[in-house]
Amino acid sequence: MSINRKIYIVGAGPGDKDLITLKALKILKQATYVLVDDLVNQEVLSFCPQAQIVNIGKRGGCLSTPQEFINRLMVSRGKTEEVIVRLKGGDPFIFGRGGEEIQYLNAHGIDVEVIPGITSAMGIAAKHQFPLTHRAMVQGVTFITGHTIRENSVNWGALVQSKTTLAIYMGLKNIQKIITSLTESGMNKFMPVVIVQDGLRKNEQFIKTTFDSLSIIAKELNQDLPTIFFIGEVAGLASNQQLLERKNLREFG
Amino acid sequence: MSINRKIYIVGAGPGDKDLITLKALKILKQATYVLVDDLVNQEVLSFCPQAQIVNIGKRGGCLSTPQEFINRLMVSRGKTEEVIVRLKGGDPFIFGRGGEEIQYLNAHGIDVEVIPGITSAMGIAAKHQFPLTHRAMVQGVTFITGHTIRENSVNWGALVQSKTTLAIYMGLKNIQKIITSLTESGMNKFMPVVIVQDGLRKNEQFIKTTFDSLSIIAKELNQDLPTIFFIGEVAGLASNQQLLERKNLREFG
């Protein structure tokens, strides 16, 4: 029996299970052992009923499995004959720690194949019909984390000056500090903002507002839910008409 | 017979047809009329053999179908009973003009549903195994266009200061100007750079270098191919060992 020294690092996409790629689906159907991140939509596991599922994960600020343990588990399993998938929410390479895991696995003699996934901000923008770039408004989009292991490692001032759409992941805990930095750097107080919690899931919370109301609204948010803040002119294009048809809509500002 | 006043704006993903989402696939299988952008991998059309295919598109700097004609065609078709898909390369909302098309269609009484796609930079990063963010290196990634309809609408200096990974789409024509702006703003001359042309396609060209060599290399590139420049520490993680196994590899610097 040949020993499989390869692990698939696969992006599951955001909350809607049909946003997984066909390539990821084909690999899940062959998987025998799936290591699942805690931000993965559990419905995705219906694509691999034959596989042994191990729920692990590492969520900013929560008690969960240490990265070092996950790495060691992948290496020990990676030296068996199983078809091993490391399944991550969104995309493995946008805040997914895919890079760190590849470095560790390669250093331990295990090859990796990476399958990209729709990152949460893209899934949310599509659902709510606001583009992330727009020729007449904004020439780029920045995906940035608000949760960093080093202080001051994000230059919020430069991001304001860049005039790109900002999609801030994992920013809820530090949002008041982030708002202060953005304000000091000249963020327009009328800049549209969209806040989405539990994006694309059953209990998704959608809020559309403007930058000057963000500080007050952020205090009312459920601190335990995965949250993305979109800040930029394009956020103003999210269609009110369609939003009003949805449950859980709140609109401020 | 009920008249369908809805158009699906669908991201086909990048060059590898299996990187399409399951949701996009399901819609393509029902489509009767598909308006195809010229950056879409034509292999994706094997998912909708039943549909009438119309190749249209609008590629920066090339002669192709004007946006106004595309918009009018969508509106006239959108008022028939067909299941109409507007199929775009990558993601409709990252340099895909999806926002502009929604505005036009909504203004003409046609509803839209948007299905996201893997954008080219994410597909390329996954294939070549370099992450776009990395906790120890870089806290964000910016997708930016180098081809704009307004002069000076991108603040390259702020992007250098933002210290995010830069993925520059459609930047080849203006790359020497962009390099000058980045250099004047203090871009580190040893910053790793990855250049990919015809990403994820049969004839993909992959070049790994550093910022100080980019100007010379860019002069040798085929000006007619879709090109993405990645500039940032993470580009240095693209694995040499794996690259050497691939065809069409050139490494400089």
Side-chain angles (χ1 to χ4, degrees), chain A residues 16 23 100 112 129 135, chain B residues 16 23 100 112 129 135:
Chain A
D16 179 343
K23 197 165 195 173
E100 293 173 55
V112 172
Q129 306 204 354
R135 279 193 303 169
Chain B
D16 178 343
K23 196 165 194 171
E100 293 174 55
V112 172
Q129 306 203 351
R135 279 192 304 169

Side-chain angles (χ1 to χ4, degrees), chain A residues 16 18 20 22-23 26 93 95 100 103 112 117 122 125 129 132-135 139-143 145, chain B residues 16 18 20 22-23 26 93 95 100 103 112 117 122 125 129 132-135 139-143 145:
Chain A
D16 179 343
D18 281 355
I20 199 166
L22 191 53
K23 197 165 195 173
K26 287 179 179 177
F93 278 169
F95 313 125
E100 293 173 55
Q103 288 175 303
V112 172
M122 291 167 64
Q129 306 204 354
L132 295 172
T133 71
H134 189 298
R135 279 193 303 169
Q139 311 309 318
V141 56
T142 301
F143 301 103
T145 176
Chain B
D16 178 343
D18 281 354
I20 198 166
L22 190 54
K23 196 165 194 171
K26 287 179 179 177
F93 277 169
F95 313 125
E100 293 174 55
Q103 287 175 302
V112 172
M122 290 167 65
Q129 306 203 351
L132 295 172
T133 70
H134 188 298
R135 279 192 304 169
Q139 312 308 319
V141 56
T142 302
F143 301 103
T145 176

Side-chain angles (χ1 to χ4, degrees), chain B residues 128-164:
Chain B
H128 294 287
Q129 306 203 351
F130 60 98
L132 295 172
T133 70
H134 188 298
R135 279 192 304 169
M137 288 182 183
V138 59
Q139 312 308 319
V141 56
T142 302
F143 301 103
I144 189 88
T145 176
H147 176 83
T148 58
I149 51 181
R150 291 176 296 170
E151 276 281 313
N152 303 319
S153 54
V154 175
N155 185 340
W156 295 103
L159 290 173
V160 174
Q161 303 306 318
S162 79
K163 292 195 172 17
T164 58

Side-chain angles (χ1 to χ4, degrees), chain A residues 103-117:
Chain A
Q103 288 175 303
Y104 189 94
L105 291 168
N106 285 348
H108 289 79
I110 295 173
D111 283 343
V112 172
E113 182 171 338
V114 182
I115 314 299

Side-chain angles (χ1 to χ4, degrees), chain B residues 107-251:
Chain B
H108 289 78
I110 295 173
D111 282 342
V112 172
E113 182 171 339
V114 182
I115 314 299
I118 301 289
T119 188
S120 200
M122 290 167 65
I124 290 166
K127 176 176 173 186
H128 294 287
Q129 306 203 351
F130 60 98
L132 295 172
T133 70
H134 188 298
R135 279 192 304 169
M137 288 182 183
V138 59
Q139 312 308 319
V141 56
T142 302
F143 301 103
I144 189 88
T145 176
H147 176 83
T148 58
I149 51 181
R150 291 176 296 170
E151 276 281 313
N152 303 319
S153 54
V154 175
N155 185 340
W156 295 103
L159 290 173
V160 174
Q161 303 306 318
S162 79
K163 292 195 172 17
T164 58
T165 303
L166 303 183
I168 306 172
Y169 287 61
M170 296 169 285
L172 184 52
K173 202 175 136 229
N174 294 326
I175 192 66
Q176 300 300 337
K177 278 192 214 171
I178 293 168
I179 292 169
T180 301
S181 299
L182 294 173
T183 304
E184 287 171 0
S185 305
M187 176 64 79
N188 180 342
K189 68 179 183 171
F190 302 114
M191 190 62 85
V193 173
V194 161
I195 309 165
V196 175
Q197 296 196 287
D198 252 354
L200 307 190
R201 293 172 192 246
K202 198 168 74 259
N203 296 315
E204 180 186 279
Q205 302 288 317
F206 180 102
I207 298 171
K208 186 177 172 183
T209 184
T210 48
F211 185 68
D212 57 351
S213 300
L214 179 56
S215 176
I216 290 170
I217 292 169
K219 288 173 187 152
E220 304 299 324
L221 297 172
N222 182 335
Q223 298 289 315
D224 296 328
L225 299 179
T227 304
I228 298 190
F229 298 93
F230 297 87
I231 305 178
E233 266 191 83
V234 289
L237 297 179
S239 158
N240 290 337
Q241 186 51 45
Q242 294 199 301
L243 297 173
L244 292 169
E245 293 163 9
R246 295 195 185 101
K247 281 187 292 188
N248 299 323
L249 170 72
R250 290 180 289 167
E251 186 155 353

Side-chain angles (χ1 to χ4, degrees), chain B residues 16-165:
Chain B
D16 178 343
K17 77 174 168 44
D18 281 354
L19 290 182
I20 198 166
T21 67
L22 190 54
K23 196 165 194 171
L25 182 67
K26 287 179 179 177
I27 290 166
L28 280 176
K29 285 186 172 171
Q30 300 168 40
T32 62
Y33 191 81
V34 182
L35 292 153
V36 185
D37 196 273
D38 59 6
L39 285 178
V40 170
N41 175 5
Q42 294 283 317
E43 291 173 19
V44 169
L45 303 178
S46 65
F47 296 132
C48 52
Q50 78 290 347
Q52 183 183 347
I53 304 297
V54 181
N55 282 290
I56 54 178
K58 189 88 188 64
R59 189 158 150 194
C62 299
L63 279 175
S64 56
T65 320
Q67 186 68 45
E68 179 61 21
F69 175 81
I70 297 171
N71 287 343
R72 285 203 307 267
L73 183 59
M74 286 193 290
V75 168
S76 66
R77 284 287 166 166
K79 293 183 175 172
T80 67
E81 71 280 9
E82 307 213 63
V83 179
I84 299 168
V85 171
R86 172 78 173 108
L87 192 64
K88 292 174 171 289
D91 180 67
F93 277 169
I94 295 185
F95 313 125
R97 304 194 185 184
E100 293 174 55
E101 294 183 3
I102 289 175
Q103 287 175 302
Y104 189 94
L105 291 168
N106 285 348
H108 289 78
I110 295 173
D111 282 342
V112 172
E113 182 171 339
V114 182
I115 314 299
I118 301 289
T119 188
S120 200
M122 290 167 65
I124 290 166
K127 176 176 173 186
H128 294 287
Q129 306 203 351
F130 60 98
L132 295 172
T133 70
H134 188 298
R135 279 192 304 169
M137 288 182 183
V138 59
Q139 312 308 319
V141 56
T142 302
F143 301 103
I144 189 88
T145 176
H147 176 83
T148 58
I149 51 181
R150 291 176 296 170
E151 276 281 313
N152 303 319
S153 54
V154 175
N155 185 340
W156 295 103
L159 290 173
V160 174
Q161 303 306 318
S162 79
K163 292 195 172 17
T164 58
T165 303

